[in-house]
Amino acid sequence: MNQHTRQPVSSRPSIPPTGLLVIAVITTQMGSAFAKALFSQVGPAGMVCLRVGLAAIALLLLWRPRWTAETQRHWWLLVRFGTALSMMNFTFYLAIERLPIGIAVAIEFLGPLGLAAAKSRRWMDGLWVALAAIGIILLTPWGGFDVDPVGILFALIAASCWAAYIMLSAQTGQALPGGQGLAWAMVVGAILLLPIGIAGAGASLLNPLFMGLGLGVALLSSVVPYSCELEALRSLPVYVVGILLSLEPVAAAVSGWIVLGEILSVRAMVAILLVAIAAAGVSRPQAS
């Protein structure tokens, strides 16, 4: 009997935390592209209602949160968090209805970028913000560049909602364990978006095909990226997370090209890269 033929079974290789964040970036933007592809059927209002509503159901099943006395004590925080979450998604969908996804995400990134710079004490961060501002200026309709100003406005509103979402997410994470706060906030967002979705899409929301596609968007845009980010944050410094998430404007542009055939001008691509570089720069650790 050969004692060397039997080796201990190795555990399945796990995905490194940086890989989880890359997955989060890719799935988020692919989800946005697939959502936009469905706008012709259910519109942005119907799509955001399906996405947030089905994501709420998925997160309730995943986290199984309890409506305890501690949860009730933070009900107003959950309402504010759910409102920011729902308005961030809705205004972003209104933006990508009028703009290429890469441009909309680049503008929306001003929210977390500005928040990081506002909390920083480094003079270099002012330069990174200025670099992002140059990128955004390149995306505005001047010098013959054709872009919808209403789409830009919606993207800017989404940016402010994203900044509020980040702050409220941090407060909720400290108040409630795990993903319970997010699950309840997603329920609040779904309730707020339900009348908007019904007004925009009507009975189409109950179409099994659209519900199935909406579930796919919800998993890609909300459930999978959140789960990946939550796991990655257990072992990665926050600045590394910020640097990797700065890939989102570029990933959005690539997703829009692959799924929707959106082709950006050189000027738009340069602007998106400037915003991504600025976001990565702001996320760098402070030298001791």
Side-chain angles (χ1 to χ4, degrees):
M1 179 176 177
N2 189 348
Q3 296 179 353
H4 300 287
T5 56
R6 293 179 62 86
Q7 300 291 335
V9 179
S10 60
S11 59
R12 185 179 302 175
S14 59
I15 301 174
T18 51
L20 290 173
L21 279 178
V22 171
I23 291 173
V25 168
I26 293 173
T27 56
T28 297
Q29 301 310 327
M30 290 298 289
S32 296
F34 284 122
K36 183 172 181 176
L38 294 172
F39 282 1
S40 61
Q41 304 295 326
V42 295
M47 191 66 249
V48 75
C49 181
L50 285 172
R51 170 186 165 176
V52 175
L54 293 171
I57 295 173
L59 287 171
L60 286 175
L61 294 174
L62 177 65
W63 290 105
R64 300 184 184 278
R66 297 180 180 178
W67 190 250
T68 62
E70 180 66 14
T71 306
Q72 295 175 38
R73 193 164 70 87
H74 298 288
W75 71 272
W76 180 235
L77 173 60
L78 294 175
V79 169
R80 288 183 289 141
F81 187 21
T83 301
L85 183 153
S86 61
M87 291 302 100
M88 175 183 69
N89 286 299
F90 184 39
T91 53
F92 175 70
Y93 278 5
L94 291 175
I96 64 174
E97 183 185 27
R98 297 164 172 82
L99 300 173
I101 292 178
I103 291 178
V105 171
I107 297 172
E108 188 191 29
F109 228 77
L110 286 179
L113 178 63
L115 182 62
K119 291 180 174 295
S120 173
R121 296 296 182 267
R122 299 177 296 182
W123 66 269
M124 273 293 295
D125 288 339
L127 297 180
W128 294 123
V129 171
L131 185 66
I134 293 172
I136 299 304
I137 290 172
L138 288 176
L139 293 175
T140 56
W142 63 271
F145 188 62
D146 186 19
V147 66
D148 190 326
V150 177
I152 291 178
L153 176 61
F154 280 129
L156 289 172
I157 296 173
S160 63
C161 291
W162 194 356
Y165 168 87
I166 292 172
M167 293 186 292
L168 292 167
S169 177
Q171 294 175 28
T172 303
Q174 294 172 359
L176 298 171
Q180 294 189 39
L182 177 72
W184 287 122
M186 197 73 75
V187 171
V188 172
I191 293 172
L192 292 175
L193 290 170
L194 184 59
I196 296 174
I198 292 175
S204 297
L205 293 175
L206 300 178
N207 185 304
L209 174 60
F210 296 150
M211 291 188 70
L213 294 173
L215 178 60
V217 170
L219 292 174
L220 283 172
S221 299
S222 299
V223 179
V224 171
Y226 172 74
S227 300
C228 289
E229 289 171 10
L230 185 66
E231 185 63 31
L233 280 167
R234 298 182 193 277
S235 55
L236 284 180
V238 173
Y239 77 87
V240 175
V241 175
I243 290 173
L244 289 174
L245 291 182
S246 69
L247 294 172
E248 289 207 13
V250 178
V254 173
S255 299
W257 172 60
I258 292 174
V259 177
L260 303 167
E262 294 180 344
I263 300 175
L264 300 176
S265 66
V266 173
R267 174 172 160 178
M269 288 188 288
V270 169
I272 289 170
L273 285 174
L274 289 178
V275 173
I277 292 170
V282 166
S283 301
R284 291 172 58 219
Q286 185 167 359
S288 56

